[in-house]
């Protein structure tokens, strides 16, 4: 009887634990559905606004009243930036920027997750900031929106605090999957990039898989099954060409270090200035308006830019100008404090520099390099690996958004080289640095309030 009672208690305890885990999986399904719906709605809104913006700039008539029309376009951009900044600063400061570092802080229980404020502010403000033509991506907003949906589900269903981590993680994975139609990237991103924050076990992994897959399914149903970037499918390069990808990774290790350093210094600079936002938004509005008319590939998240680059639309000198210009504007756009991600701008920088590298190698070895575009795809993965320090996610993201599965080996070589050498340079993952900066500023603000 003693053994029977013991086994009964063990079975009862396991049933209760399994019931909890099954609930987490069920809630992850709900999170995936909601995050998929919100991500799809967000993408549709951004697409409509981008199409409208392209028509406005495409129909710019120099023969009528170029000065008045130009001023009108500039005012539209300035107004969009100001609205986005107002919403963030007034209602939810944590909604500014990418928001991914906020989720990592929430997983560590050092940052709040005020979903009632963040969800509407992040959604609406991001539409204005991304719609303005600033160099920002949609993935940061959708990841933060997804994670806050996880928090919302947790509170609405009155779950214990221990369920906070898997549900927020499931929402983050769902948000990335919904942004790019890239479910594996969403899963790998949480496991790899958020590894120090994500509590890893069988059911938590199952939860992010359910959330990511469900969100992707919803997005594909509502938006379509096309990849985020419809480009040429490249064949695997010749084995004699493989070592060039190691050189490319080495190049990107320095670029990743430079980008992270410049971004953090720019954020600190803007933080020290007194009321720089109005002047900054006017200046940025003028630059974006002019570039949108004369050189549209220099503005926006960069999806069209990547397609044009891979379509061999530019000479190597134009590509160099584009890389430098988009590098600077990406830093300035993020430093402004408006909501928006850095994934897409980074991918465009990677594609541009990868193509420059490919053209250079082809110039000196015309018989060895057949397709320069493979270096552009490798560049997209490499810059992600060197800035975010998540090589697996970089590989999966580059493959899923382009469907270039045959480039797996070159991408592995490029991303490993980029991530390892940038680590040797002392380059921290950008979201780790952003989280440390956020926590430091929160402590300083708290200390100032206590002193006053």
């Amino acid at each position: 009887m003693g053994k029977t009672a013991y086994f009964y208690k063990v079975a009862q305890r396991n049933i209760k634990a399994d019931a909890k885990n099954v609930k987490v999986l069920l809630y992850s399904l709900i999170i995936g559905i909601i995050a998929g719906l919100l991500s799809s709605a967000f993408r549709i809104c951004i697409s409509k606004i981008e199409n409208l913006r392209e028509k406005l700039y495409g129909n710019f008539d120099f023969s009528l009243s170029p000065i008045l029309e130009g001023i009108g376009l500039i005012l539209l951009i300035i107004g969009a930036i100001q609205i986005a900044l107002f919403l963030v600063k007034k209602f939810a400061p944590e909604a500014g920027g990418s928001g991914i570092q906020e989720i990592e802080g929430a997983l560590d229980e050092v940052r709040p997750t005020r979903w009632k404020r963040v969800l509407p502010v992040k959604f609406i403000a991001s539409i204005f900031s991304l719609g303005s033509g600033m160099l920002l991506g949609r993935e940061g907003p959708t990841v933060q929106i997804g994670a806050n949906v996880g928090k919302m589900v947790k509170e609405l269903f009155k779950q214990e605090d221990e369920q906070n981590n898997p549900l927020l993680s499931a929402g983050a994975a769902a948000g990335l999957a919904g942004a790019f139609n890239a479910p594996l990237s969403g899963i790998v991103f949480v496991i790899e990039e958020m590894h120090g924050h994500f509590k890893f076990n069988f059911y938590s992994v199952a939860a992010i898989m359910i959330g990511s897959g469900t969100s992707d399914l919803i997005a594909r149903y509502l938006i379509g099954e096309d990849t985020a970037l419809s480009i040429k499918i490249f064949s695997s390069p010749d084995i004699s060409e493989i070592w060039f990808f190691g050189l490319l990774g080495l190049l990107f290790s320095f670029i990743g270090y430079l980008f992270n350093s410049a971004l953090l210094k720019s954020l600190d600079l803007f933080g020290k200035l007194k009321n720089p936002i109005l002047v900054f938004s006017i200046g940025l509005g003028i630059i974006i308006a002019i570039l949108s008319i004369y050189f549209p590939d220099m503005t926006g998240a960069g999806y069209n830019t990547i397609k044009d680059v891979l379509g061999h639309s530019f000479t190597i000198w134009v590509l160099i100008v584009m890389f430098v210009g988009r590098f600077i504007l990406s830093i300035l756009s993020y430093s402004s404090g408006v909501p928006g991600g850095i994934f897409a701008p980074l991918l465009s920088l990677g594609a541009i520099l990868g193509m420059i590298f490919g053209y250079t190698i082809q110039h000196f070895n015309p018989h060895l390099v057949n397709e320069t575009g493979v270096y552009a795809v490798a560049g997209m993965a490499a810059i992600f690996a060197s800035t975010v320090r998540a090589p697996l996610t970089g590989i999966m993201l580059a493959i899923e958004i382009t469907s270039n599965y045959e480039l797996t080996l070159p991408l592995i070589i490029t991303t490993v080289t980029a991530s390892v050498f940038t680590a040797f340079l002392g380059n921290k993952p950008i979201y780790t640095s952003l989280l440390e900066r956020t926590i430091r500023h929160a402590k300083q603000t708290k200390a100032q309030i206590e002193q006053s």
Side-chain angles (χ1 to χ4, degrees), residues 61-211:
D61 193 344
F62 295 92
S63 63
L64 296 175
S65 51
I67 295 177
L68 290 177
E69 286 193 30
I71 291 173
L73 294 175
I74 291 169
L75 290 176
L76 280 175
I77 295 172
I78 294 172
I81 296 172
Q82 286 296 313
I83 291 171
L85 285 170
F86 170 78
L87 291 173
V88 167
K89 292 183 177 295
K90 181 70 175 178
F91 301 105
E94 65 267 40
S98 169
I100 291 175
Q101 70 275 13
E102 291 286 347
I103 302 309
E104 293 183 348
L107 292 175
D108 289 340
E109 299 179 359
V110 296
R111 294 294 296 161
T113 312
R114 302 186 300 169
W115 61 269
K116 293 179 182 178
R117 286 175 173 263
V118 171
L119 282 177
V121 170
K122 192 75 174 188
F123 191 100
I124 297 170
S126 296
I127 288 174
F128 281 100
S129 57
L130 271 67
S132 70
M134 296 178 76
L135 281 71
L136 299 166
R138 66 193 180 213
E139 71 295 323
T142 58
V143 169
Q144 191 173 18
I145 287 169
N148 276 268
V149 168
K151 181 72 170 182
M152 178 187 74
V153 169
K154 181 256 180 186
E155 290 188 358
L156 291 180
F157 287 95
K158 299 178 180 179
Q159 294 301 292
E160 297 175 1
D161 288 341
E162 66 182 29
Q163 309 300 352
N164 203 54
N165 193 280
L167 295 181
L168 260 69
S169 300
L176 185 56
F180 289 122
N181 283 13
L184 279 175
S185 298
I187 296 165
V188 175
F189 177 72
V190 171
I191 294 173
E192 182 185 33
E193 207 287 324
M194 297 184 175
H195 69 277
H197 319 277
F198 172 61
K199 294 179 181 178
F200 188 97
N201 60 54
F202 173 79
Y203 286 102
S204 63
V205 172
I208 63 173
M209 291 175 70
I210 291 171

Side-chain angles (χ1 to χ4, degrees), residues 6-22 203:
Y6 170 76
F7 285 122
Y8 175 77
K9 287 182 179 179
V10 170
Q12 196 174 37
R13 187 166 60 247
N14 288 339
I15 290 171
K16 287 182 179 179
D18 287 343
K20 276 186 178 181
N21 291 325
V22 169
Y203 286 102

Side-chain angles (χ1 to χ4, degrees), residues 214-337:
T214 306
S215 176
D216 180 57
L217 181 64
I218 297 293
R220 287 173 186 271
Y221 179 77
L222 294 175
I223 298 177
E225 297 191 46
D226 293 338
T227 55
L229 287 170
S230 299
I231 63 171
K232 180 181 178 180
I233 307 300
F234 300 102
S235 58
S236 182
D238 189 81
I239 196 70
S240 61
E241 194 180 339
I242 288 295
W243 69 279
F244 287 129
F245 292 93
L247 290 178
L248 182 64
L250 185 62
L251 172 63
F252 272 103
S253 67
F254 290 97
I255 296 299
Y257 178 83
L258 180 62
F259 184 89
N260 288 1
S261 300
L263 182 61
L264 293 171
K265 288 179 180 178
S266 179
L267 286 167
D268 289 338
L269 176 63
F270 277 92
K272 292 176 183 177
L273 297 176
K274 293 182 178 179
N275 302 319
I277 301 303
L278 182 58
V279 175
F280 172 79
S281 63
I282 292 172
L284 192 61
I286 293 171
I287 293 170
I288 290 176
I290 293 172
L291 289 174
S292 296
I293 296 169
Y294 293 101
F295 201 171
D297 280 310
M298 285 285 284
T299 63
Y303 303 108
N304 291 332
T305 302
I306 294 172
K307 292 178 183 177
D308 290 340
V309 167
L310 285 162
H312 303 278
S313 302
F314 309 106
T315 65
I316 189 170
W317 296 109
V318 174
L319 287 174
I320 292 171
V321 172
M322 284 178 64
F323 179 79
V324 174
R326 286 192 66 91
F327 188 101
I328 295 170
L329 288 173
S330 296
I331 298 292
L332 292 177
S333 294
Y334 191 89
S335 300
S336 68

